[in-house]
């Protein structure tokens, strides 16, 4: 399989083997290095943006081509934020688009008169992140294999894999650990078949049918709820490494994420100047991997599972008398746009019980529609969990 075919195969959400292939592909084009800003220049790129260029005959020429490496917008904002004085991100993006020569002059002056060591991360021929020289590298591939080892030890399987430009997530599920949760009315009342209310395209993309969950769900007939564990990581400074407990409903494969079991900030000792090897990155992440292991195991603790089942049962007894008002309260609390508001109301009144739990499920159902924005999908699952934990959000 060629590099190009691997790249096309991954579409942001998919099966475990697709994610592993993509991570392997990324290793071939990834370059990480700490560089003194005096050894760098910002110039115009061929795609009408800004590019990072080396000062000839300096260390930066070891990992940057003379013609330069274009910035992702996020990385350009990060560069501006790390300079002294910092350059406001909105201003910098507009300056780069409207007056690129002026933008280059400004950034080059600041990098020269107030020099700093910064950690530059490249992928696929672009600067994807500009980070602190104290940034702790936690490799996505290391996290995946750590998660898989722990999953095997606790009888869990991979439920879902997603990866955006800024964040990777792998979600685990324990098929043998489940509870029957009364749906409490709505279209979802009564007997269920696996995934009745879910998005079939989403199920196919994730390979849900390969997990062996359907027999348990269909034989029982009720709404079977499973515990889940989401391991997430950003290699571009878009948040910490996290392990989160969650629930998955068999009637629709809706998912809710709840409290964080561990949060590892990407901050360590100062990095040395130069290009970083895979061995250096792996050594720096060992301590974090131990914390990840304990946190993943904690997500499949029966007491943790039971605690959240009780929260769900409480939300099921919390009847919503005015569904439109409740939806509008949720829209305001989470800053949901008007189009998503209409979709949320439609799912709620059509498919789910008029309870706080039903509203949570409707929010979670929206996550399955976000194929093109997996970060937004994860946000909906987090919102769904907050609605279970925080009753005041619907009032």
């Amino acid at each position: 399989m060629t590099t190009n075919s691997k790249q096309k195969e991954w579409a942001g959400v998919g099966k475990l083997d697709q994610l592993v292939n993509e991570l392997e592909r990324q290793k071939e084009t990834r370059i990480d290095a700490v560089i003194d800003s005096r050894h760098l220049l910002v110039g115009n790129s061929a795609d009408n943006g800004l590019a990072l260029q080396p000062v000839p005959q300096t260390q930066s020429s070891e990992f940057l081509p003379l013609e330069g490496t274009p910035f992702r917008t996020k990385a350009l904002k990060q560069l501006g934020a790390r300079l002294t004085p910092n350059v406001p991100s909105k201003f910098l993006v507009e300056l780069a688009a409207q007056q690129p020569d002026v933008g280059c002059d400004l950034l080059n002056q600041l990098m020269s008169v107030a020099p700093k060591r910064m950690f530059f991360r490249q992928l696929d021929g672009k600067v994807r992140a500009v980070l602190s020289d104290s940034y702790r590298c936690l490799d996505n591939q290391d996290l995946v294999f750590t998660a898989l080892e722990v999953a095997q030890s606790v009888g869990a399987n991979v439920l879902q894999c997603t990866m955006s430009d800024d964040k990777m997530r792998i979600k685990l599920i324990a098929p043998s650990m489940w509870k029957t949760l009364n749906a409490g009315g709505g279209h979802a009342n009564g007997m269920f078949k696996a995934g009745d209310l879910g998005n079939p395209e989403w199920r196919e993309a994730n390979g849900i049918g390969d997990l062996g969950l359907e027999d348990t769900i269909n034989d029982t007939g009720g709404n079977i709820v499973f515990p889940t564990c989401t391991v997430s990581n950003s290699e571009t400074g878009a948040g910490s490494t996290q392990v989160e407990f969650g629930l998955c409903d068999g009637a629709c494969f809706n998912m809710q994420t709840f409290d964080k079991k561990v949060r590892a900030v990407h901050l360590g000792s100062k990095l040395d100047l130069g290009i970083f090897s895979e061995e250096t990155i792996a050594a720096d992440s060992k301590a974090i991997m131990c914390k990840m292991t304990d946190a993943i195991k904690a997500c499949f603790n029966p007491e943790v599972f039971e605690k959240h089942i009780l929260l769900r049962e409480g939300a099921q007894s919390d009847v919503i008398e005015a569904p439109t008002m409740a939806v509008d309260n949720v829209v305001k609390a989470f800053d949901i746009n008007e189009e998503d508001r209409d979709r949320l109301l439609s799912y709620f009144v059509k498919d789910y019980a008029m309870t706080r739990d039903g509203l949570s499920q409707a929010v979670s159902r929206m996550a399955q529609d976000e194929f093109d924005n997996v970060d937004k999908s994860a946000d909906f699952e987090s919102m769904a969990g907050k609605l279970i934990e925080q009753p005041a959000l619907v009032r």
Side-chain angles (χ1 to χ4, degrees):
M1 181 178 294
T2 66
T3 297
N4 286 339
S5 65
K6 284 185 180 180
Q7 190 168 12
K8 291 177 182 178
E9 188 174 300
W10 179 257
V13 56
K15 302 175 184 180
L16 177 62
D17 60 339
Q18 294 172 305
L19 175 63
V20 172
N21 283 343
E22 173 62 11
L23 293 176
E24 286 286 350
R25 187 199 67 79
Q26 289 188 3
K27 287 177 66 174
E28 299 172 5
T29 66
R30 184 175 64 193
I31 302 174
D32 295 325
V34 174
I35 302 295
D36 188 308
S37 63
R38 289 170 294 189
H39 297 170
L40 297 167
L41 294 171
V42 175
N44 293 314
S45 72
D47 60 359
N48 298 319
L50 299 187
L52 189 67
Q53 300 173 341
V55 173
Q57 299 181 337
T58 66
Q59 185 188 43
S60 61
S61 59
E62 296 177 15
F63 87 114
L64 286 170
L66 287 175
E67 64 272 19
T69 303
F71 283 95
R72 281 183 58 209
T73 300
K74 178 183 178 66
L76 183 63
K77 292 178 180 179
Q78 289 175 324
L79 175 61
R82 298 217 163 271
L83 297 175
T84 303
N86 65 71
V87 184
S89 60
K90 182 178 180 181
F91 168 74
L92 181 54
V93 171
E94 291 180 354
L95 188 64
Q98 299 174 26
Q99 298 288 343
D101 291 338
V102 176
C104 292
D105 290 342
L106 173 62
L107 293 173
N108 288 330
Q109 284 288 331
L110 293 177
M111 287 196 299
S112 177
V113 300
K116 289 187 176 181
R117 296 169 10 136
M118 288 179 278
F119 185 36
F120 293 87
R121 310 200 79 172
Q122 294 181 79
L123 181 67
D124 294 333
K126 289 189 176 182
V127 180
R128 62 168 174 163
V130 181
L131 305 166
S132 164
D133 65 347
S134 296
Y135 186 84
R136 178 187 282 120
C137 302
L138 298 175
D139 186 81
N140 281 336
Q141 196 164 35
D142 289 343
L143 281 168
V144 167
F145 287 114
T146 296
L148 293 178
E149 288 178 3
V150 183
Q152 186 176 23
S153 71
V154 298
N157 297 328
V158 175
L159 175 63
Q160 182 185 38
C161 299
T162 65
M163 188 163 62
S164 65
D165 287 337
D166 291 311
K167 187 163 286 192
M168 181 204 71
R169 297 175 182 87
I170 180 169
K171 197 180 297 287
L172 307 172
I173 190 168
S176 62
M177 187 180 294
W178 52 271
K179 293 276 187 178
T180 303
L181 193 65
N182 177 27
H187 175 78
N189 191 33
M191 303 294 287
F192 295 96
K193 290 185 179 179
D196 267 353
L197 302 181
N199 183 325
E201 185 182 358
W202 176 89
R203 289 180 61 200
E204 176 64 25
N206 283 279
I208 301 296
D210 302 331
L211 295 175
L213 301 174
E214 283 85 349
D215 289 343
T216 300
I217 297 167
N218 295 338
D219 291 347
T220 305
N223 184 24
I224 303 300
V225 179
F226 302 88
T228 66
C229 172
T230 302
V231 180
S232 60
N233 183 52
S234 174
E235 295 183 334
T236 63
S240 58
T241 301
Q242 295 180 165
V243 174
E244 298 169 289
F245 173 82
L247 296 176
C248 174
D249 283 47
C252 41
F253 291 110
N254 284 343
M255 286 178 269
Q256 304 157 322
T257 54
F258 294 93
D259 51 328
K260 297 174 178 61
K261 291 300 172 189
V262 70
R263 177 175 176 269
V265 178
H266 291 261
L267 188 63
S269 57
K270 285 189 177 293
L271 305 173
D272 294 329
L273 289 170
I275 296 176
F276 269 66
S277 67
E278 297 294 330
E279 291 77 13
T280 301
I281 294 173
D284 199 39
S285 65
K286 283 183 179 178
I288 298 301
M289 295 304 174
C290 291
K291 294 181 180 179
M292 296 290 111
T293 297
D294 292 341
I296 293 169
K297 290 179 179 178
C299 286
F300 298 109
N301 183 314
E303 293 181 2
V304 174
F305 185 31
E306 185 63 34
K307 167 191 169 184
H308 288 84
I309 290 295
L310 291 175
L311 288 175
R312 288 284 304 273
E313 290 175 343
Q316 286 185 337
S317 65
D318 189 359
V319 177
I320 292 178
E321 303 288 351
T324 301
M325 182 180 297
V327 167
D328 287 340
N329 288 337
V330 170
V331 167
K332 182 178 180 180
F334 296 121
D335 195 24
I336 295 173
N337 65 43
E338 191 64 25
E339 181 180 349
D340 288 337
R341 180 261 182 202
D342 293 341
R343 185 160 50 105
L344 171 58
L345 181 61
S346 175
Y347 279 141
F348 184 33
V349 299
K350 180 169 63 76
D351 292 331
Y352 296 100
M354 291 295 104
T355 64
R356 181 161 49 88
D357 185 69
L359 181 53
S360 170
Q361 287 294 301
V363 172
S364 180
R365 171 61 182 83
M366 293 172 67
Q368 297 184 21
D369 298 335
E370 298 297 336
F371 276 87
D372 297 328
N373 191 339
V374 293
D375 291 332
K376 183 177 179 181
S377 177
D379 288 342
F380 279 133
E381 292 177 359
S382 178
M383 293 174 197
K386 287 182 172 63
L387 289 176
I388 299 300
E389 296 177 305
Q390 302 175 38
L393 289 174
V394 303
R395 306 301 179 199

